[in-house]
Amino acid sequence: MDIVALLVILAVLCAVVALVSAPLRGRAVDRVRAESDDEIAELEARKEAKYREIRDAELDMRTGKLSQEDHRALDRQLRAEAVEILKALDDARG
Amino acid sequence: MAPARKRKIRLVVALSAAVLLAGALVYTSLLSSNKAVTPSDLLSAKAGASYQLTGKVVDGSVRNTSSGVDFRVRDREGTAAVPVTYSGAVPDPFREGREVIITVRKQGATFVGERDSLVTKCPSKFTEDATQRS
Amino acid sequence: MATVGRALLILALAVALYGVAASVYGAVRGRDEWVASGRRSVYAIAALVTGSFAILEIAFLRSDFSFATVASHSSTTTPTFYKGAAAWSSQEGSLLLWLWLLSLWSSLVLFATRRQLRRVAPYATAVLLGFAAFFAALLVFKETPFELLAVVPAEGAGLNPLLRHPSMMIHPPMLYSGYTLFTIPFAFAIGALIARQVGAADWIRATRRFALGAWLFLGIGILLGARWSYAELGWGGYWAWDPVENASLLPWLTGTAFIHSIMIQEKRGMLKIWNVSLVLATGTLAILGTFLVRSGILDSIHAFGASTLGVPFVILIGVLIASSIGLVVLRRNELRSENRLDSLLSREAIFLLNNLVLVAMAFVVFWGTFWPLIAEALTGTRRALGPPWFDTYTVPLAIVLVLLSGIGPVIAWRRATVSNARRNFLLPALAAIAVGALLAVFGAATRPLALAMFVCGAFVVASVGQEFWRGVGVRRAMTGENALVALRSLVARNRRRYGGYLVHVGMALLFVGVAASTAFNDARDVRLAPGQSVRSGDYTFTYERATSHISTRGGDLEKISFGAVVDVSRDGRHVTTMRPERGYYPSRDVAGLGPVGRFFEGEATSEIGLDAGLRRDIWTAMTPDIRRLLPTIEEGDRVFSAAAGRLEPELEGQALGMALKGIVDKYLADRPEATFRVISSPLVTWIWIGSIVVFLGGLIALWPGPDAARRRVTARYAARVAEDLGRA
């Protein structure tokens, strides 16, 4: 039993070392996005949040929480902000 | 009103509410908390005051009464013990030798437990009774 | 096997320490291969701990009593389902469960974000690995589940019968999933602070689901604990402001605040300091909760006899608090708000108010829980606060909270006009006032706080109902769908919004149940002889006759039960018959106990009688008076002690069985008195119904929106097309 246990432990040790050190041996590095991709992801997140805000405002207007005029003003402002984000996205994408 | 001034007012209101709450907390907790004691602290207890008593149930001291149980509580380590009378059903883990927490008030020679205040420490978490370790 | 289990834990500790170093080095030097290696350490730990947890589980399932922890927490007579769950009824087993869940959830979040969050993720990985290293170290050096016994006992001590309840078995994994999941937003917040990315939206988006999941799991865990207390303990309550209950409530309260206020940051870039402080506080409180249960520092029903874990946990919590505060102060410039509150009449303002109430509540609970320690530091004596003190503060705060949860859904983001607000509040307010007036007429006015909660609860249900109604109306007008289809597509298209609304309704139902069952319950403790009765509320409880029986499992005696048949009637009409019992489990610890007496010296548990209904619950528990049996038991002890060794074991077993049968029969013949607790309590069931609604709402909000996923894929393809076209 003891020798079996020892062998099992050794095998596990080898497997763990192989798994953890694989990237250092130049293998199987998950492709992490470059710096600029990070910026794009951030802008994408903002864009989605902004779109959700626009949709929410519309639903709020339709369900009577926002008056037509308020919604028009808010919607214009939100869309302007969304355009800014889209511009920044285009810049980031080059 | 200028927005900066408005914000300042809001901040002041919020802060004073927080201070008020904190003050009330300190005041009421000092006022309504019971002294946590062990049986030996209670040997010289005043009648009428209430205490949160922690100790072990003395072996062989539990007696059923018409409305609940009478038992004695002793120090975790030591022999000083006080009599406690408790009305109502005792919690399931309640047993002689177990550690209990109970809010009591002195009446005459005995300590009367407050309703629903008897807590027995959960035995599942005790490792004392466990099989001897190697 | 124990050697392997232990070796796996030591390996896990080593890998965790290596992973922390690799991740930090990789992050500082910008070396992706080291970062990847650090992330793989987390996967490796998940595998290692899974292996070690499996070894422990197998030992429990096989009743391998050479494991000390199996011998003291399980037995061959423990039902198989509970054998598996007994693993986490011990200190060491529950720490292993903690580590296991932490490693699984960490792997999940790091796998999901493996291609994103380039700057934040490495530090977050390091933080998560730091937690893993801490718990692995505890398991290796302090409380190992793989300790072996020199002498293998033939039978184990068994799982405490009190814990043999399904909800008690799911409760710890739920609670721990909640705790460990809350460390994930914590880790990413720390990572974002270090990497100066804290204002960014993408780490929030990446961890939002985990925060929501943590909130949901922790909430379910708390409720299962309450349900267990109500259905299993002979006490009849579900919440007692016990330090350990409070410890699980604290991160849940701050977590609730966080999942609301983070929406404001997502939408408006506001409240950054507040949000990051809330995440950090929630993570720290989750660790603190674990610490409170595991250290025995406060007198609690759950406290351990003697624990060695106090010091390491205090150090860990100190480090968490100091680094959190330090980082927030250091990065305060990046945490500036991008926007201002537009109006006090907006959803943001309501969220802010809800946050203040929740944080105030958390503070009250924290203060009350730690008051014994605070008082000791201030005055030199330990003092304790009882449930009434907690109620004084939490009840009004809870009422305000429920009210706000009804206002939030019907008020618009950014700005709402007074005329709109009036239109939106008119119906719900009228409904609430009508309900309040009706209840006041029927006598609820005697308890103003409970009445206030009912009014607020009605307001929430009405305002959310109106929201759904209008949403469906809009959808029907747009698409011409029928009402049910419209409701489905409305919810499917706005999962977060309508899932959240449903959670509000569930919480309102739950709080109404709590208010009704605390304010209007009638509990009586009485001693009755057969034939006597007691009244509680509108019900008459009659103790008809005593019952007793011996249960066996696998040829061994499991327990001896003494019970009662209780007839419940209302206005002379029979309502139900209940059979509360108290079961006596034989003591495994035979030293010093008589051969007969040991059957009555072990654990005792109540089997309660419960008749639950939508309107009211009727609850009874009984404690038999076995004093009268004592002379018989002592006589039996004398006879069997004298005969010890002179009888064949088989014969002795038979004789013992007959003696116990005699005792059980004698109990019945005596027409014994018994102590009863009877409770009639309105609307308790709505607590559990409310929690199911909360759970469903939470699931809806958590469910990945198919449209969102599809959109992302389509967007990726579109981007690729654009790229390809650009290249051509």
Side-chain angles (χ1 to χ4, degrees):
Chain A
M1 172 61 204
D2 272 337
I3 198 83
V4 175
L6 201 67
L7 286 176
V8 169
I9 294 165
L10 274 178
V12 171
L13 181 69
C14 292
V16 165
V17 169
L19 172 72
V20 171
S21 68
L24 302 181
R25 287 181 283 118
R27 269 171 231 189
V29 180
D30 298 317
R31 208 167 51 92
V32 180
R33 286 184 323 219
E35 201 98 343
S36 62
D37 285 355
D38 244 17
E39 201 186 325
I40 291 173
E42 168 65 23
L43 288 168
E44 284 280 357
R46 280 171 190 243
K47 183 186 81 180
E48 255 179 52
K50 195 57 69 186
Y51 282 5
R52 189 177 309 123
E53 223 179 322
I54 293 173
R55 280 195 297 269
D56 274 353
E58 184 170 347
L59 194 60
D60 279 352
M61 184 266 288
R62 287 179 183 275
T63 52
K65 271 177 267 178
L66 273 176
S67 64
Q68 298 268 3
E69 311 87 80
D70 277 350
H71 174 254
R72 246 197 308 279
L74 187 58
D75 194 59
R76 202 175 306 129
Q77 189 188 342
L78 287 171
R79 277 170 202 269
E81 286 164 1
V83 165
E84 285 304 310
I85 296 171
L86 287 178
K87 268 188 197 148
L89 252 176
D90 279 351
D91 286 350
R93 286 207 174 107
Chain B
M1 221 185 304
R5 197 180 139 80
K6 220 170 168 179
R7 271 203 304 284
K8 205 174 247 169
I9 290 174
R10 270 182 220 159
L11 191 69
V12 169
V13 169
L15 279 182
S16 27
V19 168
L20 268 178
L21 176 71
L25 282 184
V26 176
Y27 179 71
T28 56
S29 48
L30 272 172
L31 206 70
S32 61
S33 59
N34 300 313
K35 223 169 159 180
V37 292
T38 55
S40 52
D41 300 324
L42 281 186
L43 295 175
S44 56
K46 290 191 297 274
S50 70
Y51 302 92
Q52 194 201 39
L53 175 65
T54 307
K56 282 191 169 170
V57 181
V58 176
D59 285 337
S61 71
V62 179
R63 297 278 174 273
N64 287 305
T65 62
S66 61
S67 61
V69 286
D70 284 352
F71 55 94
R72 294 176 69 79
V73 178
R74 67 170 168 84
D75 282 3
R76 220 171 282 182
E77 272 132 37
T79 50
V82 291
V84 173
T85 177
Y86 181 75
S87 39
V90 297
D92 284 338
F94 181 84
R95 234 175 80 192
E96 289 172 357
R98 281 276 160 78
E99 200 154 308
V100 293
I101 310 167
I102 181 171
T103 309
V104 293
R105 195 178 287 275
K106 186 167 186 178
Q107 276 175 23
T110 62
F111 292 87
V112 177
E114 228 164 68
R115 184 178 151 150
D116 279 347
S117 73
L118 178 62
V119 169
T120 309
K121 288 199 177 183
C122 183
S124 71
K125 306 290 172 66
F126 270 80
T127 40
E128 295 167 341
D129 296 347
T131 333
Q132 288 296 309
R133 301 254 168 121
S134 57
Chain C
M1 284 312 267
T3 339
V4 178
R6 188 147 199 199
L8 293 182
L9 285 179
I10 295 172
L11 257 176
L13 173 60
V15 173
L17 291 174
Y18 159 78
V20 172
S23 305
V24 172
Y25 177 79
V28 172
R29 290 294 174 87
R31 303 277 293 268
D32 285 349
E33 67 275 20
W34 285 95
V35 171
S37 176
R39 188 169 47 238
R40 276 160 171 258
S41 310
V42 179
Y43 305 158
I45 290 170
L48 290 168
V49 180
T50 303
S52 128
F53 193 75
I55 290 175
L56 186 67
E57 274 295 330
I58 290 168
F60 267 96
L61 290 175
R62 289 177 53 220
S63 295
D64 183 349
F65 298 127
S66 61
F67 284 64
T69 178
V70 179
S72 51
H73 293 94
S74 184
S75 65
T76 51
T77 55
T78 307
T80 310
F81 170 67
Y82 292 118
K83 270 185 196 164
W88 51 81
S89 73
S90 67
Q91 168 98 302
E92 52 277 7
S94 49
L95 286 176
L96 186 59
L97 178 67
W98 215 101
L99 178 60
W100 186 50
L101 292 169
L102 175 73
S103 65
L104 291 184
W105 293 122
S106 305
S107 301
L108 185 63
V109 71
L110 291 177
F111 184 75
T113 59
R114 68 194 180 286
R115 297 190 203 288
Q116 319 162 25
L117 302 174
R118 189 183 149 74
R119 275 171 290 184
V120 178
Y123 292 110
T125 311
V127 174
L128 290 170
L129 283 167
F131 283 126
F134 177 82
F135 281 92
L138 286 185
L139 284 161
V140 170
F141 299 115
K142 290 269 188 190
E143 297 274 349
T144 172
F146 297 107
E147 196 166 339
L148 290 177
L149 293 173
V151 183
V152 178
E155 181 57 293
L159 175 66
N160 188 309
L162 276 181
L163 300 178
R164 293 183 197 174
H165 186 270
S167 70
M168 222 345 108
M169 295 291 97
I170 319 166
H171 165 78
M174 286 290 165
L175 215 54
Y176 286 7
S177 282
Y179 283 157
T180 48
L181 276 168
F182 269 135
T183 60
I184 286 168
F186 176 90
F188 278 82
I190 294 273
L193 280 169
I194 296 177
R196 296 177 186 273
Q197 292 283 306
V198 72
D202 59 351
W203 73 269
I204 292 170
R205 188 176 59 162
T207 58
R208 187 189 73 87
R209 249 180 243 293
F210 289 87
L212 207 53
W215 177 87
L216 194 59
F217 277 125
L218 191 58
I220 296 170
I222 293 171
L223 276 157
L224 285 173
R227 173 71 199 174
W228 169 76
S229 165
Y230 182 68
E232 186 72 3
L233 296 183
W235 163 54
Y238 40 78
W239 191 260
W241 296 113
D242 180 86
V244 168
E245 294 170 348
N246 299 348
S248 57
L249 189 62
L250 283 171
W252 189 84
L253 288 172
T254 52
T256 312
F258 170 70
I259 55 181
H260 284 95
S261 65
I262 197 67
M263 285 186 235
I264 305 182
Q265 179 169 342
E266 261 185 307
K267 280 188 196 292
R268 312 290 319 277
M270 290 159 59
L271 297 179
K272 288 177 189 169
I273 291 191
W274 176 259
N275 283 326
V276 83
S277 309
L278 272 180
V279 188
L280 297 177
T282 306
T284 311
L285 286 170
I287 298 287
L288 183 77
T290 315
F291 160 67
L292 269 187
V293 189
R294 297 290 146 217
S295 71
I297 185 172
L298 289 164
D299 285 331
S300 141
I301 155 168
H302 294 69
F304 284 77
S307 174
T308 50
L309 301 184
V311 176
F313 264 106
V314 168
I315 294 172
L316 174 67
I317 290 166
V319 169
L320 294 183
I321 295 175
S323 49
S324 301
I325 294 176
L327 275 170
V328 171
V329 171
L330 228 84
R331 295 287 186 261
R332 62 189 180 280
N333 284 338
E334 269 118 276
L335 291 167
R336 280 220 199 91
S337 204
E338 293 161 29
N339 283 300
R340 299 276 173 216
L341 206 58
D342 288 331
S343 152
L344 275 182
L345 193 68
S346 66
R347 198 177 278 185
E348 290 96 310
I350 298 295
F351 274 25
L352 204 56
L353 214 56
N354 122 316
N355 263 245
L356 293 177
V357 173
L358 281 164
V359 169
M361 216 164 179
F363 187 73
V364 166
V365 175
F366 183 88
W367 180 270
T369 310
F370 284 90
W371 173 244
L373 299 182
I374 301 170
E376 194 170 19
L378 290 179
T379 64
T381 45
R382 241 174 207 243
R383 305 176 69 92
L385 288 167
W389 183 86
F390 283 97
D391 293 344
T392 320
Y393 291 96
T394 50
V395 170
L397 287 173
I399 293 173
V400 175
L401 204 58
V402 171
L403 180 66
L404 288 176
S405 79
I407 297 177
V410 286
I411 203 161
W413 285 104
R414 291 213 174 186
R415 97 189 65 166
T417 42
V418 179
S419 66
N420 271 320
R422 202 180 298 141
R423 207 155 64 83
N424 287 319
F425 286 125
L426 187 66
L427 270 176
L430 282 179
I433 290 167
V435 168
L438 204 67
L439 289 174
V441 170
F442 282 103
T446 51
R447 302 299 178 99
L449 284 175
L451 184 63
M453 184 59 94
F454 298 151
V455 170
C456 293
F459 176 73
V460 174
V461 174
S463 74
V464 172
Q466 176 184 271
E467 266 306 287
F468 271 96
W469 180 257
R470 287 192 182 163
V472 168
V474 168
R475 184 96 204 130
R476 291 187 68 182
M478 271 162 57
T479 60
E481 294 162 339
N482 75 43
L484 270 178
V485 177
L487 178 68
R488 246 203 75 204
S489 50
L490 178 76
V491 174
R493 281 168 169 275
N494 303 277
R495 282 167 203 277
R496 278 169 75 172
R497 177 185 276 228
Y498 289 100
Y501 289 174
L502 211 54
V503 169
H504 285 192
V505 171
M507 288 309 290
L509 294 178
L510 190 153
F511 274 115
V512 165
V514 170
S517 59
T518 22
F520 299 102
N521 91 338
D522 188 3
R524 302 284 159 108
D525 290 304
V526 282
R527 192 178 173 82
L528 299 176
Q532 289 183 320
S533 49
V534 61
R535 271 183 74 85
S536 163
D538 296 334
Y539 298 90
T540 307
F541 296 73
T542 310
Y543 174 23
E544 301 220 303
R545 60 188 166 82
T547 62
S548 65
H549 63 98
I550 298 176
S551 340
T552 53
R553 179 182 295 277
D556 273 336
L557 184 140
E558 189 192 19
K559 65 172 174 181
I560 298 172
S561 310
F562 298 120
V565 175
V566 177
D567 178 82
V568 185
S569 61
R570 186 183 178 177
D571 306 328
R573 273 206 309 274
H574 172 80
V575 176
T576 180
T577 305
M578 299 202 278
R579 296 166 189 276
E581 278 182 357
R582 200 161 164 89
Y584 293 83
Y585 290 77
S587 172
R588 295 282 168 212
D589 193 11
V590 282
L593 298 175
V596 179
R598 81 177 185 94
F599 288 100
F600 301 92
E601 290 292 332
E603 300 295 340
T605 65
S606 293
E607 291 294 323
I608 60 153
L610 175 63
D611 185 61
L614 288 181
R615 272 189 51 240
R616 52 96 195 103
D617 275 15
I618 308 171
W619 187 103
T620 49
M622 65 87 74
T623 313
D625 183 1
I626 57 170
R627 243 183 332 170
R628 287 199 222 182
L629 299 175
L630 284 181
T632 323
I633 293 171
E634 278 162 16
E635 198 191 318
D637 280 349
R638 265 199 306 281
V639 172
F640 278 92
S641 300
R646 269 182 280 164
L647 280 175
E648 300 273 324
E650 206 172 299
L651 269 176
E652 188 178 338
Q654 281 177 9
L656 201 57
M658 277 163 68
L660 290 173
K661 180 87 172 53
I663 291 172
V664 165
D665 290 343
K666 180 174 174 352
Y667 179 79
L668 284 190
D670 276 349
R671 292 180 51 78
E673 291 187 345
T675 313
F676 288 86
R677 162 164 283 200
V678 300
I679 304 175
S680 68
S681 191
L683 306 186
V684 183
T685 306
W686 289 92
I687 299 175
W688 321 123
I689 294 178
S691 9
I692 292 170
V693 174
V694 169
F695 178 70
L696 287 179
L699 273 189
I700 290 175
L702 259 176
W703 211 262
D707 45 353
R710 212 180 310 126
R711 260 208 313 276
R712 214 164 298 143
V713 174
T714 327
R716 212 174 296 145
Y717 282 125
R720 203 196 288 166
V721 169
E723 203 177 310
D724 290 349
L725 288 175
R727 209 181 292 141

